[in-house]
């Protein structure tokens, strides 16, 4: 990144690669974890993979919209040896799927031809579900719970244009996130094959506030 920045700033003989007023970009992006659920300081799950649209309403001002999707799962098994030397397997499976939408604004400054530093703000929500399943022998239970998230962030970052429409970026900022998991419903199957349903036995709300840094890879085309 440092080498690209140094080369871009010194390339004064080249035309600007940055967008201008009226330009629109549609981008595919990968973000390895900004306010990322259970894995960071904030409770909001922004997309690991997403689509971003950005419209420059001026040479320096842009409005943007991120749409994202994320999914994760874990599978833990425990093997218990019984007195008759038989083995009982206990399996705990959990996962979450979510969709997110996050509109925002950006102000770009500086007169570099390939480098575009900016400040901005965004607000967003996500919806999805969390699934957990416990299996012991031929007895199992499955709980499906709805999830909802909300986040607000202020950010500062930089886009480095490698060529027209292709750039890499780094973003840092301050964010607040709230994540809620509802009670959901539990379905249980006993060793006779009978099925029962009941309301989930727990819910949770997590809120947090903190700094974040997001190296990201974004590929887009302006038109």
């Amino acid at each position: 990144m440092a080498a690209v920045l140094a080369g871009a700033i010194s390339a004064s003989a080249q035309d600007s690669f940055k967008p201008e007023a009226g330009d629109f970009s549609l981008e595919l992006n990968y973000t390895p974890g900004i306010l990322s659920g259970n894995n960071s300081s904030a409770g909001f799950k922004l997309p690991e993979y997403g689509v971003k649209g950005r419209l420059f309403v001026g040479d320096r001002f842009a409005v943007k919209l991120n749409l994202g999707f994320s999914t994760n799962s874990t599978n833990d098994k425990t093997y218990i040896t019984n007195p008759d030397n038989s083995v009982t397997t206990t399996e705990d499976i959990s996962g979450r799927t979510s969709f997110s939408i996050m509109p925002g604004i950006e102000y770009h400054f500086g007169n570099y031809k390939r480098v575009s530093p900016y400040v901005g703000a965004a607000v967003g929500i996500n919806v999805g579900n969390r699934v957990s399943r416990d299996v012991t022998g031929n007895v199992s239970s499955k709980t499906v719970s709805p999830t909802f998230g909300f986040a607000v962030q202020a950010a500062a970052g930089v886009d480095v244009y490698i060529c027209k429409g292709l750039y890499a970026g780094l973003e840092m900022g301050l964010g607040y996130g709230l994540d809620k998991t509802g009670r959901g419903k539990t379905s249980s199957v006993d060793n006779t094959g009978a099925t029962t349903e009941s309301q989930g036995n727990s819910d949770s709300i997590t809120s947090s506030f903190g700094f974040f840094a997001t190296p990201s890879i974004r590929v887009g085309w302006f038109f």
Side-chain angles (χ1 to χ4, degrees):
M1 179 67 75
V4 173
L5 284 170
I9 293 173
S10 63
S12 58
Q14 299 184 19
D15 294 333
S16 175
F17 286 80
K18 300 191 300 186
E20 300 174 346
D23 284 341
F24 175 78
S25 67
L26 184 63
E27 306 167 6
L28 299 178
N29 60 74
Y30 168 70
T31 303
I34 174 174
L35 302 182
S36 183
N38 297 326
N39 299 320
S40 75
S41 61
F44 184 71
K45 183 72 172 179
L46 287 182
E48 294 179 352
Y49 300 92
V51 177
K52 174 183 175 182
R54 181 164 60 173
L55 173 65
F56 278 80
V57 296
D59 291 343
R60 298 186 180 274
F61 282 97
V63 293
K64 61 182 179 179
L65 179 66
N66 279 82
L67 301 176
F69 167 78
S70 65
T71 182
N72 62 78
S73 63
T74 59
N75 190 333
D76 297 322
K77 290 185 178 180
T78 303
Y79 301 92
I80 302 172
T81 302
N82 301 313
D84 61 356
N85 290 326
S86 63
V87 177
T88 299
T89 302
T90 299
E91 189 173 14
D92 182 11
I93 304 170
S94 62
R96 177 174 178 174
T97 301
S98 64
F99 300 87
S100 64
I101 179 171
M102 196 163 199
I105 58 173
E106 293 177 353
Y107 174 71
H108 292 248
F109 54 92
N111 296 314
Y112 307 121
K113 296 184 182 300
R114 290 182 182 242
V115 181
S116 183
Y118 65 88
V119 293
V123 60
I125 62 171
N126 74 6
V127 293
N129 64 68
R130 188 183 299 275
V131 178
S132 61
R133 183 180 180 189
D134 296 308
V135 180
T136 302
N138 57 357
V139 179
S140 66
S141 65
K142 178 181 179 181
T143 301
V144 180
S145 305
T147 63
F148 174 79
F150 170 78
V152 179
Q153 68 177 35
V158 60
D159 292 333
V160 179
Y161 288 84
I162 301 169
C163 60
K164 187 70 173 181
L166 177 64
Y167 52 89
L170 173 66
E171 189 171 88
M172 303 180 66
L174 191 64
Y176 169 81
L178 181 145
D179 199 40
K180 178 178 181 180
T181 301
R183 291 179 63 183
K185 292 184 178 181
T186 300
S187 300
S188 300
V189 180
D190 61 23
N191 54 7
T192 67
T195 302
T196 60
E197 291 188 354
S198 61
Q199 192 76 10
N201 57 12
S202 65
D203 60 22
S204 65
I205 297 178
T206 303
S207 62
S208 53
F209 177 79
F211 289 97
F212 62 86
T214 310
S216 61
I217 299 173
R218 291 172 284 178
V219 180
W221 181 258
F222 289 98
F223 53 92

